[in-house]
Amino acid sequence: MLHERPDGSRIEVTVDIPPRARRVVLLDNGMGMPHEYWDWVCGALPADMGYVRFNAPGYGLSTPTTHYGLERHFALLRELRETYTAGLPLVLAGHSLGGYFVAAYASLHPGAAEGVSAVVMADATDVAQLRNSRRSEVDRWSRHSMLMERAYALAGLSAFRPALNKNKTYRPDINRSVTAFLAEPRTWAMAYRDYRDAMTYPALTALDVPLSVITAENNQGDNAVHHAVQAKMAALSKSSRHLIIDGADHESLLTVQTYAAMVAEVIAGEPPAERTGPERRQSAGDRPAATTAAGANRS
């Protein structure tokens, strides 16, 4: 559906608030990723938990804008929760840069933490580390990759060799939607802009809300460094836990159904009452394919 904003622009949003919902999760995507990436997570949520997921301005069917930045994103999060969550207790969950966004919103935006029962950061971006990586090999590779993906999209090649969801892990209609999203040149132009903009965002210092940090075991760089950075995020809150999901990488954390079910368990579970972790969760090979009877057909 399309959410109409006060200025007449529109935001692509999917909302599912069951009649007996007792809480809601607002889901924020990673940079350059569509809201459909949350599909397995949403399908595994319990029947008493609703969800709101969306594409930021310029992504998917959402109206492009020349106005962007952290405060603009905070305003959108506030608008969506005020419109759709009906005052229910709210969990804020984000993946990649979306993990930073939800934590920054609860930490930095006046009054945002009120009514928020927990924050979940799934393999979230550390903006301080991102800023420190500028002009490094990793930075050059990231920029080059986004520029090349835009070139592939302009040439019409992305539909045949998608950069993400290569194994088409979702059901057919979601796979088609994700492929169309990635084949849009504007997606990669927006991702490049957001990547550069993220280097200007303030590092987080404290979060007065229960926090769960979920870390994918495998990373494109040094896994030990990645885990240490994620552990530092868990220290933002005095009530926090740090979970490492064995076998998962940054993308498969959401795109592999078993890993996504683990993420859903954390989102729907009791928030931590004290600081714990790190805890390792077993790999997909040790667990049955996971859906819940209540949520299997929701998304």
Side-chain angles (χ1 to χ4, degrees):
M1 62 182 282
L2 292 175
H3 164 80
E4 187 163 347
R5 308 194 72 185
D7 63 2
S9 65
R10 296 183 175 186
I11 294 295
E12 185 178 5
V13 62
T14 296
V15 180
D16 183 7
I17 313 292
R20 51 181 172 170
R22 295 188 295 111
R23 55 224 172 115
V24 180
V25 58
L26 178 57
L27 300 160
D28 204 327
N29 319 326
M31 180 177 61
M33 296 180 178
H35 73 77
E36 287 92 343
Y37 254 48
W38 292 105
D39 205 61
W40 287 132
V41 172
C42 292
L45 293 173
D48 70 345
M49 190 167 204
Y51 66 82
V52 179
R53 66 192 201 203
F54 65 96
N55 282 332
Y59 287 106
L61 300 179
S62 296
T63 306
T65 180
T66 56
H67 305 292
Y68 59 93
L70 203 54
E71 287 300 328
R72 297 274 181 176
H73 199 84
F74 290 168
L76 175 58
L77 292 176
R78 183 183 69 246
E79 183 180 323
L80 292 175
R81 69 181 288 194
E82 289 177 350
T83 303
Y84 297 109
T85 65
L88 292 168
L90 182 69
V91 175
L92 296 169
H95 174 247
S96 194
L97 187 58
Y100 169 82
F101 278 142
V102 295
Y105 171 64
S107 175
L108 302 176
H109 196 59
E114 184 177 351
V116 174
S117 60
V119 169
V120 178
M121 303 173 75
D123 223 43
T125 300
D126 182 337
V127 295
Q129 184 192 36
L130 188 65
R131 186 160 48 247
N132 291 337
S133 74
R134 190 162 190 172
R135 297 186 178 88
S136 69
E137 184 178 344
V138 171
D139 177 45
R140 288 191 293 271
W141 177 85
S142 298
R143 291 170 184 265
H144 177 74
S145 296
M146 285 182 277
L147 291 172
M148 289 303 299
E149 290 302 334
R150 188 178 186 212
Y152 291 143
L154 286 165
L157 299 176
S158 293
F160 303 101
R161 45 146 319 279
L164 304 173
N165 193 35
K166 295 177 182 178
N167 296 320
K168 299 187 182 301
T169 57
Y170 299 102
R171 66 179 191 259
D173 61 319
I174 298 296
N175 287 329
R176 288 192 296 271
S177 181
V178 170
T179 298
F181 179 94
L182 297 172
E184 172 56 56
R186 188 176 68 198
T187 294
W188 299 103
M190 296 291 297
Y192 188 83
R193 185 204 70 186
D194 289 347
Y195 175 81
R196 291 185 304 166
D197 199 42
M199 291 188 174
T200 69
Y201 295 161
L204 303 179
T205 57
L207 182 62
D208 194 23
V209 175
L211 170 66
S212 293
V213 173
I214 305 172
T215 301
E217 178 192 20
N218 299 314
N219 184 53
Q220 288 181 340
D222 187 312
N223 284 341
V225 172
H226 180 60
H227 294 174
V229 168
Q230 295 281 300
K232 184 180 72 172
M233 292 183 190
L236 290 171
S237 173
K238 295 179 180 179
S239 302
S240 67
R241 57 184 167 188
H242 181 201
L243 301 98
I244 300 172
I245 297 186
D246 286 346
D249 60 33
H250 187 68
E251 182 186 359
S252 67
L253 199 60
L254 299 188
T255 63
V256 171
Q257 187 176 8
T258 309
Y259 299 144
M262 295 184 198
V263 174
E265 286 176 9
V266 175
I267 290 172
E270 287 295 320
E274 58 185 6
R275 188 176 295 171
T276 62
E279 170 193 343
R280 299 190 78 98
R281 289 290 179 93
Q282 58 190 320
S283 65
D286 298 325
R287 291 169 60 101
T291 56
T292 64
N297 297 313
R298 284 183 49 179
S299 53

